[in-house]
Amino acid sequence: MISKKVANVTDALQGVQDHMTLMLGGFGLCGIPENAIAELVRIGVKGITCISNNAGVDDFGLGLLLQKHQIKKMVSSYVGENDEFERQMLSGELDVELIPQGTLAERCRAAQAGFPAIYTPAGYGTEVAEGKEVREFDGKMHVLEYAFKADFAFVKAWKGDEAGNLIFKGTARNFNPNMCGAAKITVAEVEELVPLGTLDPNQIHIPGIFVQRIFQGETYEKRIEQRTVRQRN
Amino acid sequence: MLDKNGIAKRIAKEVKDGYYVNLGIGIPTLVANFVREDIDVEFQSENGVLGMGPFPFEGEEDADLINAGKQTITTLPGASFFDSAMSFSMIRGQHVDLTILGAMEVAENGDIANWKIPGKMVKGMGGAMDLVASADNIIVAMMHTNKRGESKLLKKCSLPLTGVGCVKKVVTNLAVLEITDNGFKLLERAPGVSVDEIKIATEGELIIEGIIPEMLL
């Protein structure tokens, strides 16, 4: 077994520097790497580019990094629900690249899988395709989209082991598996770091080969963005 | 004239036994409430769940279980979870049978605009561009006119496009229309709405052939 275990979040983020490109898993506030984000705020790296589906809310998730003006550019598919984000974007302080959600996922996966680029029909004929190479396959137009190049990927899983194997829970899975191995260094934080041999190899979602560092997060708030319920009769 | 629930109720009749369906945010979400109970349908949410169920009972919300609108949900027996790349493999790979989404504008050639108003805050397209570029069967649910009373069924979209030539059917508060090579073909009128009212509210080419029946809800 090749151990990926690091003692804590500080060790896990060794080497993160100003102006790096970081991938962060999560959809809304679901499945975000809370501990890594808190540490990014603490070490105060600046000028970072974040590849993440969303930008958090004002006081949680990537919103915490926005508050401290640490983000130079966001690459996302949807960025609502964040006033500070809007302010920085409109003032020109923050650069924003909006791309289709499936393209975002596939550009991560392409980087993970060693494909330099992919063709997708998404965005053809729209401003998203402006300046991009297009090509017809079977009578349908497609846009060439490049694999991401990132320095670090921060992902969050439910359970993991010292070998870096990961299991995700519910819809907290989202972009996390696609970002594993898609950056130079993948840092996985887990709710529960279980003893080696505990996880059933049949049930592993991401094999440890895609993960360079793993640690158990200290706490998880797991904030709910839209609490919707139905009444009991 | 229909309200939002009425539009959802009419669209629910387009959902057939054995369909996998992706519902957008807004009116499309309401469609799930009106699907016949004697057919088997599975709802896909692009953040990574197939077999979505109703909202949870109070106290049973799970932060790790949400839909694409970030609302807490439940799953039904037979449900599955997957990552975002696989979710869009279902969509791009045309494994989802029906996509229902909202729109700001639809053009007579099937173009759709629903993600950006220049000069206003832009929130992003989310999964909409992937959905409209790939799905074979797209129904748009929307009001026939905007708040200023202007038609949303146009000759040409004025807003930045989400996708080109992709919409097949539009269900509004006034009518059901099919997109054909020659424009919007009027299929049905909403209860109490006349063909003339629909004509006035439609800027794009409107094709009226024979007697237009009133919708059955």
Side-chain angles (χ1 to χ4, degrees):
Chain A
M1 189 273 305
I2 301 168
S3 177
K4 307 296 171 68
K5 190 178 165 188
V6 291
N8 52 45
V9 68
T10 303
D11 287 358
L13 268 71
Q14 281 300 314
V16 176
Q17 291 168 8
D18 291 352
H19 310 296
M20 277 188 163
T21 297
L22 313 178
M23 289 178 162
L24 297 108
F27 184 98
L29 301 177
C30 185
I32 58 172
E34 293 184 24
N35 288 263
I37 291 169
E39 183 66 7
L40 287 168
V41 172
R42 196 190 68 78
I43 63 178
V45 281
K46 296 259 191 285
I48 53 179
T49 295
C50 292
I51 299 167
S52 183
N53 190 56
N54 312 92
V57 294
D58 277 312
D59 61 344
F60 200 55
L62 290 182
L64 299 170
L65 289 167
L66 285 164
Q67 272 183 15
K68 297 274 166 92
H69 305 273
Q70 292 176 260
I71 304 177
K72 178 184 72 183
K73 182 178 180 182
M74 280 296 312
V75 181
S76 307
S77 88
Y78 190 85
V79 292
E81 358 296 348
N82 193 322
D83 293 337
E84 179 59 18
F85 183 98
E86 185 171 345
R87 196 196 63 70
Q88 290 186 23
M89 179 172 155
L90 295 176
S91 71
E93 208 172 315
L94 180 70
D95 187 12
V96 180
E97 184 183 347
L98 293 169
I99 59 175
Q101 197 179 132
T103 301
L104 178 65
E106 210 57 30
R107 288 177 69 187
C108 292
R109 210 194 72 83
Q112 175 193 63
F115 293 116
I118 51 118
Y119 277 105
T120 175
Y124 175 76
T126 76
E127 62 182 52
V128 163
E130 278 170 21
K132 291 178 184 167
E133 201 175 316
V134 296
R135 185 167 163 180
E136 186 181 324
F137 294 94
D138 296 326
K140 187 167 180 165
M141 295 305 293
H142 293 74
V143 184
L144 185 71
E145 296 279 6
Y146 291 94
F148 284 124
K149 287 185 168 42
D151 298 294
F152 278 83
F154 295 108
V155 304
K156 189 260 170 180
W158 178 35
K159 290 179 182 178
D161 64 18
E162 201 176 333
N165 296 308
L166 302 176
I167 293 178
F168 302 89
K169 183 164 167 276
T171 55
R173 190 181 315 192
N174 57 63
F175 288 84
N176 286 299
N178 306 131
M179 290 178 174
C180 291
K184 287 177 195 153
I185 295 174
T186 298
V187 176
E189 60 178 85
V190 294
E191 285 178 53
E192 224 182 306
L193 191 62
V194 301
L196 206 63
T198 315
L199 299 177
D200 177 355
N202 287 300
Q203 307 296 331
I204 303 288
H205 293 139
I206 285 292
I209 192 169
F210 292 112
V211 174
Q212 279 68 51
R213 301 173 190 171
I214 190 167
F215 69 99
Q216 182 172 308
E218 244 173 52
T219 54
Y220 284 95
E221 179 182 334
K222 294 216 238 179
R223 194 184 293 184
I224 292 176
E225 212 167 326
Q226 302 282 344
R227 189 180 298 275
T228 42
V229 294
R230 71 189 141 129
Q231 296 306 312
R232 285 171 206 275
N233 288 328
Chain B
M1 197 185 297
L2 301 175
D3 59 7
K4 288 180 177 178
N5 276 305
I7 296 172
K9 204 170 171 185
R10 174 59 191 83
I11 292 177
K13 290 165 71 84
E14 305 285 324
V15 179
K16 305 283 192 283
D17 190 30
Y19 267 17
Y20 293 102
V21 182
N22 180 289
L23 300 177
I25 295 163
I27 302 174
T29 307
L30 301 171
V31 173
N33 301 333
F34 300 105
V35 173
R36 276 164 49 193
E37 280 180 15
D38 60 335
I39 62 172
D40 294 318
V41 173
E42 282 196 31
F43 292 106
Q44 196 251 20
S45 192
E46 62 265 27
N47 58 316
V49 54
L50 190 61
M52 226 188 330
F55 293 141
F57 289 120
E58 197 161 355
E60 292 177 4
E61 311 93 301
D62 179 354
D64 292 329
L65 187 44
I66 62 168
N67 64 16
K70 286 131 193 166
Q71 297 170 309
T72 43
I73 54 160
T74 59
T75 52
L76 296 172
S80 56
F81 298 118
F82 34 85
D83 63 65
S84 300
M86 188 177 283
S87 178
F88 283 91
S89 297
M90 294 176 189
I91 292 163
R92 206 183 302 105
Q94 301 189 332
H95 306 286
V96 173
D97 299 289
L98 176 62
T99 293
I100 302 166
L101 75 175
M104 298 170 185
E105 295 176 347
V106 174
E108 61 190 34
N109 68 345
D111 288 358
I112 176 170
N114 71 351
W115 76 283
K116 182 177 186 178
I117 302 175
K120 290 204 178 170
M121 171 58 189
V122 178
K123 294 191 170 182
M125 66 292 281
M129 283 194 183
D130 306 274
L131 283 158
V132 301
S134 305
D136 251 346
N137 194 4
I138 301 175
I139 301 179
V140 166
M142 66 176 193
M143 303 308 275
H144 211 100
T145 53
N146 64 22
K147 280 173 189 152
R148 293 181 302 277
E150 299 156 349
S151 183
K152 294 169 74 174
L153 285 82
L154 307 170
K155 290 191 184 310
K156 198 170 183 294
C157 293
S158 65
L159 295 169
L161 295 181
T162 308
V164 292
C166 47
V167 176
K168 299 291 185 295
K169 203 174 244 188
V170 183
V171 179
T172 74
N173 52 326
L174 303 182
V176 179
L177 309 105
E178 191 188 337
I179 307 270
T180 67
D181 290 342
N182 304 314
F184 297 106
K185 186 178 175 190
L186 183 57
L187 299 182
E188 297 171 25
R189 297 173 291 115
V193 174
S194 71
V195 170
D196 279 345
E197 285 173 87
I198 297 165
K199 260 190 205 166
I200 291 165
T202 309
E203 189 227 79
E205 188 65 31
L206 186 67
I207 302 160
I208 303 158
E209 284 173 5
I211 301 204
I212 308 299
E214 192 168 286
M215 285 177 205
L216 296 172
L217 292 170

